[in-house]
């Protein structure tokens, strides 16, 4: 359905949901057709804001993975995508971006219904997803090979070729945006992609498959395999015919994928994993009210289910008391609401498992002696809602100071010197993002360089666009999404050395 009149309010979104749900595509997309899982099995996907069943989706396993891999290999061998002129691939991908734009309300609503995030936030994700497809499409016919500096008797060419078959395994927290960050560069570079969405949020991926077909992606070039990680995901990761795994998800599963690659064909593995990102506030920063609101949004956006959530707030002790008061005030103004209400800033936790996990961390924070300043108790159901929760007086030894909670829980630490702040920030298994707030340019440069992190946000949180790479160091992973750096990851370098009559 295209969007002639855009939904304006909760009633409009509810009405759109009521027309959308009965017509949901729930089958896998394999070899250019929507099909049931070979086993006939399905998995249930729930609306976490109501606890109601949304759909029963094909639950693919190794048999379906084998079919999809065979179709992708055949498509790669035919070459009607891999060897198509880049300018022509660009046109197809730009058409896909146009179709996504035309259907963005529907796609955003699918993510909101499936994983509980506010619809305004899902619409923001659509802009990121569509922007990613457009950016990579526009880039692909600007990638040149190289001519090596040889003598007259030789010609050395360095060519960039597609890898072949890429399996993209993605999480549920930004279902379509994470998908687009993976598939856009892989498809633009000429690869065939098999997407394994999270079992908790498969609906937008299946709708995307229909749009990709309509856009003209050739048979077998883009396929979607809904299913569990230990069945469909594992089968793709162990396949001898998959050339690359691009993964966004937990560090624990990322480690397993590296093992699967070693047990099979040494496929490339690009990992975007978890985080416990430090957000450092120095006493010299300007406008503490604004910074406190931004620090609260850095953790409570998307219910805290964000890989780069600013979950460790490090505050210089001279301003800590006053600053934490302001953060608590901002947090209290961010109460979760109905995800279909465009005014809601926070929605529901993705499911009961995640909800219980976050509540367990909150209990642990109390037990280990952190000082609860806001939130701390779940809200009345139906649905899995947890309010913004702030703990002050957290130390690096506490569980809530070290582990990724992936929920709306902020851990506040105090520090007395720049040296101490940097040491505390870097004292983590993760290295995905870090933030610093200061007006001192010398300090900004010094600290930015010393933070062991894939990205550093200065006087903002989560800034950036398609032109800059996104990824982590340490146990946050090794891959980079977005920008020409991600496009390069999905190409193989080939050397052609010719002997000439000198
Ligand atoms: P997860 O690791 O549980 O699952 C991610 C995906 O892996 C899902 O599709 C799942 O089905 C699949 N999977 C699970 N077990 C598998 C196996 N044995 N073999 C193959 N596939 C398997 O993560 P999640 O709960 O969906 O997402 C939350 C995590 O994702 C958090 O740790 C978060 O930090 C991380 N994340 C990272 C980024 C980033 O860019 N670094 C972005 C978003 C989320």
């Amino acid at each position: 359905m295209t969007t002639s009149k855009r939904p304006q309010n909760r009633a409009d979104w509810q009405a759109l949901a009521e027309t959308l749900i009965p017509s949901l595509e729930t089958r896998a997309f394999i070899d250019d057709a929507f099909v049931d899982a070979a086993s006939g099995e399905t998995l249930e996907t729930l609306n976490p804001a109501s606890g109601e069943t949304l759909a029963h989706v094909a639950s693919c396993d190794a048999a379906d993975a084998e079919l999809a891999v065979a179709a992708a290999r055949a498509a790669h061998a035919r070459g009607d995508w891999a060897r198509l002129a880049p300018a022509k691939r660009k046109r197809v991908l730009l058409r896909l971006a146009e179709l996504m734009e035309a259907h963005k309300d529907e796609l955003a609503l699918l993510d909101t219904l499936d994983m509980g995030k506010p619809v305004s936030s899902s619409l923001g994700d659509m802009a990121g997803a569509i922007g990613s497809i457009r950016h990579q499409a526009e880039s692909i016919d600007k990638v040149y090979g190289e001519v090596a500096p040889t003598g007259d008797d030789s010609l050395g060419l360095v060519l960039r070729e597609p890898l072949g078959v890429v399996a993209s395994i993605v999480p549920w927290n930004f279902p379509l945006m994470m998908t687009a960050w993976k598939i856009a560069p892989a498809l633009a570079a000429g690869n065939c992609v098999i997407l394994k969405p999270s079992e908790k949020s498969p609906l937008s991926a299946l709708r995307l498959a229909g749009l990709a077909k309509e856009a003209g992606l050739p048979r077998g070039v883009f396929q979607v395999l809904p299913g569990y990680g230990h069945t469909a995901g594992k089968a793709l990761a162990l396949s001898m015919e998959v050339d690359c795994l691009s993964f966004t998800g937990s560090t624990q599963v990322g480690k397993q994928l590296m093992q699967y690659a070693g047990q099979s064909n040494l496929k490339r593995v690009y990992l975007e994993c978890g985080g416990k990102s430090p957000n450092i506030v120095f006493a010299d920063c300007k406008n503490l009210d604004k910074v406190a609101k931004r620090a609260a949004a850095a953790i409570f956006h998307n219910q805290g289910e964000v890989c780069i959530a600013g979950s460790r707030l490090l505050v210089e002790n001279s301003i800590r008391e006053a600053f934490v008061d302001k953060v608590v005030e901002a947090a209290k103004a961010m109460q979760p609401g109905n995800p279909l209400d465009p005014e809601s800033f926070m929605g529901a936790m993705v499911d009961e498992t995640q909800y219980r996990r976050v509540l367990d961390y909150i209990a642990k924070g109390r037990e280990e002696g952190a000082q609860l300043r806001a939130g701390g108790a779940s809200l009345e159901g139906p649905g899995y809602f947890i309010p913004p929760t702030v703990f002050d007086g957290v130390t690096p030894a506490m569980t809530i100071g070290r582990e990724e909670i992936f929920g709306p829980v902020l851990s506040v630490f105090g520090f007395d010197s720049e040296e101490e702040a940097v040491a505390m920030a870097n004292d983590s298994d993760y290295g995905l993002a870090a933030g610093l707030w200061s007006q001192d340019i010398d300090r900004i440069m010094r600290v930015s360089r010393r933070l062991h992190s894939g990205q550093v946000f200065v006087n903002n949180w989560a800034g950036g666009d398609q032109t800059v790479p996104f990824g982590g160091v340490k146990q946050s992973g090794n891959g980079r999404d977005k920008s020409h750096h991600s496009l390069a990851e999905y190409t193989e370098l080939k050397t052609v050395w010719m002997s000439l009559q000198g």
Side-chain angles (χ1 to χ4, degrees):
M1 113 200 18
T2 49
T3 42
S4 44
K5 180 178 167 289
R6 305 278 320 276
Q8 303 294 326
N9 51 38
R10 180 171 158 182
D12 291 350
W13 284 105
Q14 184 65 47
L16 184 57
E18 278 159 24
T19 50
L20 196 57
I21 291 171
S23 64
L24 289 175
E25 181 54 76
T26 58
R27 295 166 297 171
F29 185 68
I30 300 175
D31 204 9
D32 218 30
F34 285 102
V35 292
D36 292 324
S39 65
E41 293 291 318
T42 58
L43 58 84
E44 186 183 39
T45 176
L46 295 172
N47 177 349
S50 65
E52 288 163 5
T53 303
L54 272 175
H56 290 91
V57 173
S59 182
C60 294
D61 62 20
D64 308 286
E66 205 174 308
L67 292 174
V69 171
R73 286 252 71 99
H76 187 64
R78 276 197 311 275
D80 46 6
W81 184 249
R83 294 198 293 276
L84 191 66
K88 292 188 176 165
R89 290 206 296 267
K90 171 168 90 171
R91 283 207 284 277
V92 177
L93 291 176
L94 288 177
R95 172 82 185 121
L96 173 60
E98 263 171 43
L99 287 168
M100 290 169 74
E101 186 79 53
H103 292 268
K104 71 180 172 201
D105 290 337
E106 180 189 345
L107 291 167
L109 182 57
L110 289 175
D111 279 355
T112 286
L113 293 171
D114 227 1
M115 62 72 67
K117 69 163 63 190
V119 74
S120 48
S121 169
S122 295
L123 280 171
D125 295 357
M126 293 312 117
I130 296 164
S132 182
I133 304 273
R134 286 208 171 109
H135 184 89
Q136 300 296 347
E138 287 290 359
S139 300
I140 190 58
D141 60 352
K142 286 105 190 155
V143 175
Y144 289 78
E146 295 164 14
V147 178
T150 58
D152 279 357
D153 58 352
S154 315
L155 177 63
L157 302 179
V158 184
L159 309 178
R160 283 198 177 269
E161 298 191 335
L163 301 174
V165 176
V166 174
S168 293
I169 301 179
V170 296
W172 46 263
N173 62 334
F174 293 90
L176 199 72
M177 194 167 84
M178 291 299 102
T179 291
W181 285 12
K182 299 283 176 220
I183 69 165
L187 287 172
N191 297 283
C192 295
V193 176
I194 304 170
L195 171 71
K196 210 298 278 170
S198 168
E199 57 276 20
K200 299 180 186 186
S201 60
L203 297 176
S204 59
L206 293 170
R207 186 66 189 97
L208 183 68
L211 297 180
K213 184 176 163 87
E214 196 180 331
L217 275 153
R219 174 178 185 173
V221 169
F222 178 61
Q223 304 179 83
V224 180
L225 218 57
Y228 292 105
H230 64 274
T231 54
K234 183 174 176 182
L236 290 171
L238 280 169
S239 169
M240 298 297 286
E241 300 289 339
V242 168
D243 302 295
C244 170
L245 278 179
S246 67
F247 171 77
T248 300
S250 62
T251 295
Q252 188 194 355
V253 173
K255 288 181 182 183
Q256 278 179 306
L257 297 189
M258 288 196 133
Q259 290 180 359
Y260 296 154
Q263 286 163 27
S264 53
N265 61 345
L266 281 185
K267 55 181 69 66
R268 289 186 188 202
V269 182
Y270 297 132
L271 303 175
E272 307 289 344
C273 299
K276 187 77 180 174
S277 299
N279 193 7
I280 311 170
V281 180
F282 289 101
D284 68 18
C285 74
K286 215 165 68 181
N287 195 343
L288 284 186
D289 288 316
K290 189 179 115 198
V291 178
K293 282 186 189 140
R294 304 287 292 276
I299 173 69
F300 301 126
H301 167 63
N302 214 49
Q303 310 73 245
E305 296 166 327
V306 183
C307 54
I308 54 162
S311 53
R312 287 189 293 148
L313 182 62
L314 279 49
V315 188
E316 194 159 352
N317 278 326
S318 59
I319 57 163
R320 176 158 147 223
E321 204 180 318
F323 187 77
V324 175
D325 285 347
K326 291 179 196 295
V327 172
V328 166
E329 195 185 316
K332 286 183 174 163
M334 292 178 178
Q335 295 305 310
N338 188 309
L340 294 181
D341 184 343
E343 299 302 315
S344 295
F345 177 75
M346 282 173 64
M349 307 306 296
V350 68
D351 64 4
E352 189 178 352
T353 310
Q354 186 65 11
Y355 170 80
R356 301 227 168 272
R357 186 169 175 265
V358 175
L359 293 178
D360 285 350
Y361 274 113
I362 292 174
K364 207 159 259 175
R366 284 193 164 113
E367 278 160 36
E368 293 183 359
Q371 187 195 346
L372 183 67
R373 292 290 315 274
S378 59
L379 301 177
E380 287 271 306
Y384 306 116
F385 293 92
I386 298 180
T389 295
V390 179
F391 281 105
D392 195 3
V394 178
T395 66
M398 292 180 188
T399 310
I400 62 163
R402 305 201 70 78
E403 295 186 10
E404 182 184 48
I405 299 175
F406 222 54
V409 182
L410 179 64
S411 301
V412 185
F413 302 68
F415 66 85
D416 289 312
S417 67
E418 184 182 302
E419 200 67 23
E420 191 189 0
V422 171
M424 212 181 250
N426 287 340
D427 180 17
S428 171
D429 291 338
Y430 298 108
L432 191 53
L436 72 104
W437 302 80
S438 169
Q439 289 304 305
D440 177 342
I441 187 67
D442 296 325
R443 163 176 277 163
I444 288 171
M445 284 316 302
R446 233 177 8 246
V447 174
S448 298
R449 289 193 166 128
R450 291 182 58 201
L451 287 170
H452 201 187
S453 170
Q455 45 256 307
V456 175
F457 306 121
V458 178
N459 292 328
N460 73 84
W461 188 267
D465 60 18
Q466 297 298 328
T467 61
V468 288
F470 181 97
V473 298
K474 300 199 272 184
Q475 293 189 39
S476 291
N478 57 7
R480 290 293 180 271
D481 288 330
K482 304 195 301 174
S483 84
H484 62 272
H485 295 283
S486 75
L487 190 57
E489 284 185 343
Y490 294 100
T491 63
E492 189 69 87
L493 288 178
K494 177 189 273 180
T495 298
V496 178
W497 188 269
M498 296 183 214
S499 296
L500 305 176
Q501 302 298 326

